[in-house]
Amino acid sequence: MGILSGDPKNEPLHYGEVLSLWGTSMAAKGAVSCYQAYINHAGDKDLKKILLHCVHFQE
């Protein structure tokens, strides 16, 4: 069976697609990490509420 000989849903991901998915996942995890650090250092209650919303939205 060739790589592109069947149903696209059953074919493996191309290495470029895997790299793109991995990079997007790492960027999202990094953003959550930064938001959590901002929450720990924020003094304003409204700002903390916005940051908590961002963290819960991404998880």
Side-chain angles (χ1 to χ4, degrees):
M1 179 165 110
I3 290 179
L4 300 175
S5 64
D7 185 14
K9 292 181 182 179
N10 295 330
E11 299 297 332
L13 291 175
H14 185 266
Y15 72 90
E17 294 171 324
V18 172
L19 183 62
S20 177
L21 289 171
W22 179 80
T24 303
S25 174
M26 293 304 296
K29 289 179 182 182
V32 170
S33 174
C34 286
Y35 289 150
Q36 289 172 341
Y38 296 155
I39 290 168
N40 291 335
H41 291 89
D44 185 33
K45 290 182 182 181
D46 292 332
L47 178 59
K48 281 187 178 184
K49 188 186 303 183
I50 292 169
L51 292 170
L52 283 169
H53 176 72
C54 290
V55 168
H56 291 299
F57 178 72
Q58 288 190 354
E59 289 181 338

